[in-house]
Amino acid sequence: MHQRIIFALSVLLSCLGFAQTYEVQYTSSYNGKILNDQPPTLVWANDKENFILNNSIRAQKADFPFEITKIEKPSNTIISYAFLKNNEIISTSDAESVGKQAFELTAETKKILGYSCKKAITKINSNTIEIWYTNDLKIQGGPSSIGQDLGFVLEIERNKNSLITATSIKKVKKTDIAAILKSPITPTDPLGYRDLLWKTRFTTLKVFENETVNFSESSKSDAVIKRFANGTVILKKIRFPKISEGENIFTELKQQSNGDAYDRTGTVFFIPQDRQQSFLDGLEKGIKTLPAYENGNGKPYYGVATTENYDPPVEMMRFFTAFGINKFNHIQLKDKSWQTVSPYRQDITDLKPVLSEKELWIGTFIGNYDKGGHQISLEITIHKSGQTVNKNNTVIPLFNTLNIMEMAGQDYATMFDKDKGLFVEFTLKKDLKNAQLKYITTGHGGWENGDEFIPKTNSIFLDGKMAFSFVPWRTDCGSYRLYNPASGNFPDGLSSSDLSRSNWCPGTVTNPEFIPLGDLKAGKHTIQVKIPQGEREETMFSSWNVSGVLLGSQ
């Protein structure tokens, strides 16, 4: 009887020791300053498992998405849990990475919270990581997966400036993990896990997905997507959420050739509909229903400039397709491995005032005469950020000479053949502070003497006075050769896609110029664009696609 009591007591003590759990709090600092905006890291650990989270998660007050990491002992299997939103948790596991960690074990020691610690050093992605671990607790663990098989990590320092260190250790009888991990959990593979977690961190507005932009009489509108100009223009109505101060907006278009082998002008745009007329009227009823601009050469240019009752389409991004990407990748050249998709991505945060909480027609145009044309996917993403580069609260469309309705009769922008160039009148209802002209320009005329290949000065005049003058020219086109499988190769050793051009390269985005205009008073103003456009040669002619919106604060 006495022996049985002793045995039972020893089993009980053994179980209690086995189940001992520690709660460890850590604070983060950078260059010696505590990061008070980060909740303290919290670790629950015993000899079976180690949970890594923070105090906001423990209180169930963390913003989605957030993560909890569990490390199972003794296998050191890392199980990651991502809380995407209420009642939606995904997980993935990794049984290898802890075992692959390599450390330099040093003879240095120090005490942290009274525990004797040893120092180990490792390198991760060119970062030097120093950890201090103790064996006094008789279990392994820590605030990250680093050093989980050495002991219990009480401090981690990265590059001598970023530090996370234990501030308290206590024994607890139980943890709150069961109350946090209470929803159903969906396991996934590591790559899928990271992708889902990443996408949950921002808002995605899907505009087009694998849509064709081509030239064909069979291209017809449906209930969701409108198609115009024989399929070279496609539109979809998109509702934007409220976009707060500090949030960034990006547009991204992915394009492949679906039959067209040439470099083509493309644009992503939206249609302002605050006036009596809009560009949508021109698409639906014909380009000649829009206001005409005349420069004195006898030719009217429809829908290119703002009037009292009309605003032109606003460019979100100008891009140029590569020579036959993907469709023509069968063309083989030694040591050339062609890309399969052209990604065009641009920051459009400056357009926030006219996007937030608006429902707008978003469109894409690619000029081409090919039945196969191009295949595109387009999305707009909104990201929470502390960055406040764009502080304007006003966007005023002024002009857009890009002939989006080219395949429905809209003329090329040849109005720069006269000294008047493009002359636009506009009225400000209020004073505009820190005004900028967001200006996108590209020169066209694809022969030896055409403006595509001749540098030309663009001059911007505000109220009759020169505001800005520059030569838009790209010399980096050869960097994108691997996007251009169908680019012609010349006897001089160059390819067509290598050649420098008037502010564009095949397979790239054209970046806007932000031209400072100062503070503008309420009332009438003028903007004038002058470019020394090249002379026509028989059937060949030059043109300039320019667009401009006025930014500022009212």
Side-chain angles (χ1 to χ4, degrees):
M1 181 68 177
H2 180 68
Q3 289 180 334
R4 276 187 285 178
I5 292 173
I6 293 175
F7 177 75
L9 183 59
S10 66
V11 170
L12 176 61
L13 291 172
S14 174
C15 290
L16 287 173
F18 182 82
Q20 180 61 66
T21 298
Y22 291 91
E23 179 179 297
V24 187
Q25 297 272 355
Y26 296 80
T27 58
S28 299
S29 61
Y30 186 77
N31 285 333
K33 294 183 179 180
I34 293 177
L35 302 177
N36 292 315
D37 58 338
Q38 293 185 10
T41 299
L42 171 65
V43 172
W44 286 316
N46 56 40
D47 56 2
K48 292 181 64 177
E49 57 194 11
N50 177 31
F51 286 96
I52 306 168
L53 55 158
N54 63 45
N55 285 342
S56 293
I57 298 173
R58 179 186 196 174
Q60 300 190 45
K61 294 181 179 180
D63 294 330
F64 294 105
F66 60 85
E67 288 184 280
I68 291 177
T69 301
K70 175 186 178 183
I71 301 173
E72 295 181 340
K73 302 295 181 178
S75 65
N76 281 326
T77 299
I78 302 172
I79 301 178
S80 301
Y81 302 95
F83 294 67
L84 305 183
K85 56 186 178 181
N86 277 325
N87 301 319
E88 186 174 347
I89 308 174
I90 60 173
S91 70
T92 193
S93 63
D94 173 7
E96 298 180 358
S97 64
V98 172
K100 292 179 179 179
Q101 295 173 8
F103 293 93
E104 174 193 347
L105 303 180
T106 75
E108 291 185 58
T109 62
K110 72 175 180 179
K111 287 201 172 184
I112 300 176
L113 297 177
Y115 295 94
S116 298
C117 296
K118 299 177 182 179
K119 180 181 176 181
I121 303 172
T122 188
K123 288 270 192 179
I124 300 177
N125 298 333
S126 300
N127 295 292
T128 299
I129 311 295
E130 298 178 359
I131 71 166
W132 291 90
Y133 64 95
T134 183
N135 299 120
D136 293 353
L137 294 176
K138 308 302 182 184
I139 61 171
Q140 296 175 336
S144 80
S145 63
I146 301 172
Q148 283 281 335
D149 57 353
L150 293 181
F152 203 95
V153 178
L154 295 181
E155 187 172 277
I156 301 176
E157 186 174 43
R158 178 173 60 86
N159 297 330
K160 295 293 186 181
N161 53 24
S162 182
L163 184 71
I164 179 169
T165 187
T167 55
S168 70
I169 301 175
K170 65 180 181 180
K171 297 177 181 179
V172 294
K173 293 183 178 180
K174 67 173 186 176
T175 69
D176 301 327
I177 196 66
I180 301 171
L181 287 170
K182 59 185 178 181
S183 300
I185 299 170
T186 303
T188 185
D189 64 281
L191 193 61
Y193 174 92
R194 291 195 296 271
D195 185 62
L196 286 170
L197 177 60
W198 174 68
K199 288 179 178 177
T200 308
R201 297 189 185 279
F202 53 88
T203 299
T204 300
L205 305 177
K206 290 284 188 182
V207 185
F208 304 120
E209 189 164 4
N210 296 324
E211 293 293 339
T212 299
V213 180
N214 64 346
F215 182 81
S216 172
E217 292 183 356
S218 62
S219 296
K220 304 296 181 184
S221 300
D222 56 34
V224 177
I225 296 176
K226 289 181 176 289
R227 298 179 186 275
F228 298 100
N230 287 333
T232 58
V233 180
I234 62 175
L235 293 178
K236 184 178 178 181
K237 186 168 280 189
I238 296 295
R239 179 175 292 279
F240 287 81
K242 179 178 176 59
I243 307 172
S244 302
E245 183 69 25
E247 290 187 303
N248 290 337
I249 315 167
F250 282 78
T251 183
E252 182 171 13
L253 183 138
K254 295 179 180 179
Q255 171 265 333
Q256 296 174 314
S257 168
N258 196 43
D260 186 15
Y262 289 95
D263 52 334
R264 304 293 189 180
T265 304
T267 182
V268 177
F269 62 94
F270 74 85
I271 299 177
Q273 293 184 278
D274 300 329
R275 304 289 180 98
Q276 184 177 333
Q277 268 189 304
S278 77
F279 191 71
L280 184 63
D281 295 321
L283 289 167
E284 292 180 333
K285 302 172 185 177
I287 190 65
K288 292 184 179 180
T289 63
L290 299 181
Y293 170 76
E294 297 185 7
N295 75 335
N297 67 3
K299 179 184 289 188
Y301 300 91
Y302 294 98
V304 299
T306 187
T307 68
E308 184 178 353
N309 298 313
Y310 169 79
D311 280 332
V314 174
E315 278 199 283
M316 305 172 88
M317 180 171 66
R318 177 93 52 90
F319 66 94
F320 290 84
T321 68
F323 284 94
I325 188 169
N326 193 58
K327 183 70 173 182
F328 294 86
N329 280 13
H330 60 273
I331 299 174
Q332 294 184 340
L333 293 178
K334 187 175 177 59
D335 298 326
K336 302 292 184 186
S337 296
W338 307 123
Q339 299 291 322
T340 59
V341 63
S342 287
Y344 311 99
R345 181 173 172 85
Q346 197 158 64
D347 186 340
I348 57 168
T349 308
D350 55 274
L351 299 178
K352 182 192 306 180
V354 288
L355 300 179
S356 180
E357 297 184 287
K358 300 289 181 64
E359 188 174 42
L360 297 167
W361 285 105
I362 307 296
T364 297
F365 158 75
I366 298 177
N368 73 99
Y369 287 95
D370 188 88
K371 188 175 182 179
H374 303 261
Q375 190 172 54
I376 67 159
S377 293
L378 173 65
E379 64 184 26
I380 297 167
T381 57
I382 304 168
H383 307 256
K384 292 181 180 179
S385 172
Q387 190 182 45
T388 55
V389 172
N390 303 104
K391 298 180 180 179
N392 60 295
N393 63 14
T394 303
V395 177
I396 301 172
L398 294 179
F399 54 87
N400 188 347
T401 70
L402 198 160
N403 51 335
I404 294 171
M405 290 181 63
E406 175 186 349
M407 284 68 188
Q410 185 177 12
D411 283 328
Y412 288 85
T414 57
M415 70 279 291
F416 302 100
D417 61 351
K418 297 292 183 182
D419 185 62
K420 181 180 179 181
L422 178 65
F423 187 86
V424 181
E425 297 178 307
F426 64 96
T427 300
L428 293 178
K429 295 181 180 179
K430 298 180 180 180
D431 292 352
L432 191 65
K433 294 182 179 180
N434 300 315
Q436 290 181 304
L437 179 68
K438 181 182 180 181
Y439 179 67
I440 305 174
T441 179
T442 50
H444 304 267
W447 80 101
E448 183 179 357
N449 296 319
D451 283 3
E452 177 179 334
F453 298 115
I454 304 294
K456 294 291 181 73
T457 301
N458 284 221
S459 300
I460 313 297
F461 295 80
L462 173 66
D463 296 331
K465 297 181 180 180
M466 173 82 77
F468 192 72
S469 181
F470 75 113
V471 177
W473 189 247
R474 289 281 293 270
T475 60
D476 60 330
C477 296
S479 301
Y480 306 97
R481 182 66 181 95
L482 295 182
Y483 289 85
N484 290 276
S487 179
N489 293 304
F490 302 137
D492 59 6
L494 292 174
S495 299
S496 178
S497 60
D498 293 336
L499 300 178
S500 299
R501 289 174 165 83
S502 288
N503 214 33
W504 63 275
C505 297
T508 70
V509 165
T510 291
N511 290 320
E513 292 285 334
F514 291 87
I515 301 170
L517 301 177
D519 296 339
L520 302 182
K521 293 291 185 181
K524 292 184 178 180
H525 297 272
T526 63
I527 283 280
Q528 187 176 22
V529 181
K530 292 186 178 184
I531 306 169
Q533 180 180 298
E535 296 289 334
R536 177 184 288 267
E537 295 183 13
E538 298 179 351
T539 61
M540 297 177 291
F541 60 92
S542 295
S543 63
W544 282 82
N545 292 329
V546 300
S547 70
V549 295
L550 191 62
L551 310 176
S553 297
Q554 289 183 339

